[in-house]
Amino acid sequence: MQFGAGTLGEAPAAVARFGKRCLLVSGKSSLERSGKLAAIEEGLRARGVSMARFCVDGEPDLAVADEGARIAREGGHDVILAIGGGSVIDAAKAAAALATNEGSAIDYVEAVGAGRTIEKTPLPLVAVPTTAGSGSEVTKNSVLRVPELRVKRSIRSDLMVPRVALVDPSLIATAPKSVAASSGLDALTHLVEAYLSKGAQPMTDVLVVPGITLAYRALVVLAEDHATDESHEAMALAALWGGIALANAGLGAVHGLVAPLGGLCGVPHGAGCGCLLPATFATNVAALRARAPGHPALARAHEVADLLLPPDAPDRSPERAADAFQGLRDKLGVPSLRSYGVSETDLASIIAGSRAGSMRSNPIDLTDPELEAILARSLGPPLA
């Protein structure tokens, strides 16, 4: 793990530690536009490493994972370098694992696959995130769309954690505001949910508490169009800590709901998290007050409010923290769920698909009517 501006320059040396035939997994054009692709290629050549490229466009599905693995195997690649957002890194993690294990992606995805596990060590992976959001560079799973079933599911193994993560805050400075906003709200959601999660623990708390402050303040600055090198660094660090926290503490109802929203309705992950966080936080607080007033997660929700709200605010309750999350999302201009085509007729299917995975770590079990209320509040006004 290396963190700091300029650490992208360490990528060729990191790759050369593991092999001589590199498969670069990236987005379609951002590296060329930034001028960084040529520098990476030159750095690899100087170390005797050849390079081929596999481009990922959008959130990866099973076919993308299988294609990446095929290219890696047939090209004799012995190391993978992933430079991109969470989707690129997830695709690279899956390709690295499938390249050394028999079968295809559907054999390994949780819940809907054949139940196979990753047994052979994946190809070494060097991960360089270009957005501050998913934390995929430090987690053990790869989230993939299963188009035939209209769901998103993970391939998961301790062996899939990247060998090296290079987190360069200067890279996120080039992301469009819309991308930075949705990615940043994803990271903020990771931190908040990990703090309230049933799996919360001292090791994750020490990252989550300062991380919430860093992420929230950086997003406020972004919303005001005043982002700086310091705010980019804060956001990158918060996203990194969020990835570590979610991997060890779990998440909650936001991520339980956003998975079927992505699979059934095509809602981008970060935008979905940003839409759901305010109502989910408020609903969790209301459920805890009503059914478990002594639950430690309620005290933690009060602490989240203390982290977000000004010391002189007349009301520093968790309910006002939920309002602050909504205000931040509005200022960042993240589209509503309805703008992605989600409607009231979809809510039952979304709820039915939400009960696995992250929902199990939510601090309190939410009823179907409570989940329906979250979704209804998160839809946004009817489109004109």
Side-chain angles (χ1 to χ4, degrees):
M1 162 67 67
Q2 294 186 53
F3 181 95
T7 53
L8 174 63
E10 302 298 321
V15 168
R17 287 166 45 195
F18 298 106
K20 292 297 183 182
R21 295 182 63 83
C22 173
L23 177 62
L24 171 64
V25 182
S26 69
K28 281 200 167 182
S29 59
S30 58
L31 280 178
E32 289 96 333
R33 289 199 307 268
S34 67
K36 293 180 171 64
L37 179 61
I40 291 166
E41 290 178 315
E42 182 179 350
L44 291 172
R45 281 196 302 270
R47 291 165 175 82
V49 180
S50 63
M51 189 193 84
R53 192 173 176 199
F54 176 54
C55 294
V56 176
D57 186 17
E59 296 183 339
D61 59 14
L62 301 180
V64 167
D66 285 335
E67 178 66 5
R70 182 193 67 77
I71 292 171
R73 285 193 302 268
E74 293 181 2
H77 297 290
D78 49 13
V79 58
I80 293 180
L81 171 61
I83 305 176
S87 293
V88 166
I89 296 175
D90 274 2
K93 287 159 74 174
L98 295 170
T100 59
N101 287 268
E102 296 179 355
S104 59
I106 189 60
D107 297 323
Y108 296 93
V109 290
E110 296 174 331
V112 298
R116 299 183 67 170
T117 58
I118 300 298
E119 296 179 350
K120 296 179 180 178
T121 303
L123 293 178
L125 173 62
V126 177
V128 185
T130 58
T131 58
S134 74
S136 184
E137 68 274 11
V138 289
T139 62
K140 64 181 181 181
N141 66 304
S142 168
V143 181
L144 302 172
R145 291 187 299 112
V146 186
E148 296 80 3
L149 301 178
R150 298 178 66 198
V151 298
K152 286 184 178 180
R153 291 291 185 268
S154 286
I155 300 176
R156 191 182 309 269
S157 170
D158 289 340
L159 298 173
M160 291 174 61
V161 178
R163 300 286 189 91
V164 176
L166 303 175
V167 182
D168 186 339
S170 67
L171 296 177
I172 74 169
T174 63
K177 182 178 178 179
S178 60
V179 173
S182 60
S183 297
L185 287 168
D186 185 19
L188 179 60
T189 303
H190 291 161
L191 293 158
V192 172
E193 290 208 298
Y195 196 47
L196 302 185
S197 167
K198 291 175 182 175
Q201 53 191 281
M203 188 203 78
T204 55
D205 290 349
V206 298
L207 300 177
V208 163
V209 172
I212 290 171
T213 302
L214 287 176
Y216 185 78
R217 290 178 179 173
L219 286 168
V220 168
V221 170
L222 177 68
E224 296 171 348
D225 294 321
H226 295 146
T228 64
D229 290 344
E230 289 75 18
S231 67
H232 292 315
E233 181 171 321
M235 194 68 250
L237 189 57
L240 174 63
W241 287 347
I244 296 170
L246 75 88
N248 290 278
L251 293 168
V254 172
H255 279 80
L257 289 167
V258 84
L261 275 168
L264 290 167
C265 307
V267 177
H269 181 84
C273 287
C275 290
L276 291 167
L277 178 59
T280 304
F281 188 84
T283 300
N284 272 327
V285 168
L288 289 164
R289 289 196 193 281
R291 301 197 292 276
H295 197 292
L298 185 56
R300 286 170 173 255
H302 279 275
E303 293 169 12
V304 171
D306 288 338
L307 294 172
L308 302 187
L309 302 174
D312 59 351
D315 183 355
R316 304 182 74 226
S317 66
E319 288 80 2
R320 297 294 76 75
D323 292 340
F325 287 136
Q326 183 63 48
L328 178 61
R329 188 214 126 191
D330 291 342
K331 289 177 182 177
L332 288 167
V334 174
S336 68
L337 295 181
R338 197 183 298 276
S339 70
Y340 291 105
V342 185
S343 70
E344 286 81 0
T345 60
D346 298 311
L347 303 191
S349 297
I350 294 165
I351 292 167
S354 72
R355 291 297 183 181
S358 294
M359 190 68 77
R360 293 193 290 263
S361 296
N362 200 62
I364 188 168
D365 293 338
L366 298 177
T367 65
D368 282 3
E370 286 169 331
L371 294 177
E372 184 174 0
I374 289 171
L375 290 166
R377 288 178 59 184
S378 304
L379 277 177
L383 298 177

